[in-house]
Amino acid sequence: MGFLSVLSCAHQWISSRLQPGDLAIDATVGTGADTLFLAQQVGRRGQVIGFDIQSEALTLAQARIRKQNDEAKLGSISMLQLSHDRMAEAVPESWLGAVGAVMFNLGYLPSESADFSIITETDSTIAALEAALALLRPRGIITVVLYPGHDGGAQEASAVLEWSSALPVEQAQVVMYRQLQRETSPFLIGIEKK
């Protein structure tokens, strides 16, 4: 068995922290893989809110979720066609300081019919990360999968690295999971709130 993919590693980190009944956020719904994973982790009593600016992403995610045989075991899922930088205003006020996990899978929508010029933007991503950190409960986790190999991806990855590295250790612990031999390989940052 080799090393885990960055996505599998993100799922592993989150599954060790989320409990049934928890609150979770998918900051970048995409095709819905992380949304579905979070809904499975929080179970029937839990709730998941997903964000994406593209209606195609929400349609793909809804189709993925409908294919589940055990839909009754999933947490309630709300998907919003909004930028993740509007997270703080879009989630219920009661979620502040109560969220168990927030997942970011940056880049572009991985779909054959997608417009690859629509990518996550550095400024909105940093604003969303700040909102996510405020929403987390103590020991809650943010996972960020970064893709420096596409146009705009290296700049975004660099900004996220700079932002997360500057977090005070009294506020959060930050770790990175990365293949070191390829500069453009995707990598994962995990942020655990103290």
Side-chain angles (χ1 to χ4, degrees):
M1 184 173 115
F3 289 115
L4 294 173
S5 72
V6 290
L7 295 173
S8 295
C9 187
H11 285 194
Q12 188 176 76
W13 289 355
I14 285 176
S15 66
S16 70
R17 286 172 177 79
L18 276 184
Q19 303 295 317
D22 275 350
L23 306 173
I25 295 172
D26 185 352
T28 51
V29 168
T31 61
D34 292 337
T35 312
L36 177 60
F37 166 76
L38 290 169
Q40 290 167 332
Q41 296 303 303
V42 301
R44 287 181 317 195
R45 293 176 303 132
Q47 296 178 17
V48 176
I49 297 178
F51 293 86
D52 209 291
I53 60 170
Q54 297 183 75
S55 61
E56 181 185 352
L58 302 181
T59 301
L60 290 168
Q62 288 161 349
R64 179 186 295 260
I65 291 160
R66 276 196 303 274
K67 287 181 185 172
Q68 281 307 297
N69 295 333
D70 57 353
E71 231 180 300
K73 295 181 182 176
L74 299 180
S76 104
I77 302 169
S78 303
M79 286 189 269
L80 306 175
Q81 189 174 347
L82 281 177
S83 172
H84 53 202
D85 68 352
R86 300 200 35 213
M87 186 184 304
E89 68 188 72
V91 301
E93 200 173 307
S94 61
W95 285 40
L96 184 62
V99 172
V102 183
M103 295 191 80
F104 289 77
N105 193 344
L106 302 176
Y108 51 81
L109 180 62
S111 165
E112 290 176 16
S113 60
D115 178 351
F116 297 121
S117 70
I118 301 173
I119 61 171
T120 52
E121 301 286 341
T122 301
D123 291 344
S124 63
T125 295
I126 298 299
L129 284 166
E130 289 172 354
L133 193 55
L135 289 166
L136 280 187
R137 67 173 184 231
R139 292 201 27 82
I141 186 172
I142 297 169
T143 60
V144 189
V145 177
L146 296 132
Y147 298 89
H150 69 85
D151 285 345
Q155 295 87 338
E156 183 176 46
S158 177
V160 170
L161 272 173
E162 185 178 327
W163 176 84
S164 57
S165 297
L167 289 173
V169 293
E170 303 79 32
Q171 184 181 13
Q173 174 177 270
V174 181
V175 296
M176 183 168 55
Y177 180 73
R178 183 174 200 170
Q179 181 183 351
L180 296 176
Q181 297 100 325
R182 286 186 27 228
E183 208 173 284
T184 59
S185 63
F187 65 98
L188 170 65
I189 292 176
I191 302 167
E192 182 184 59
K193 189 170 185 174
K194 292 279 178 105

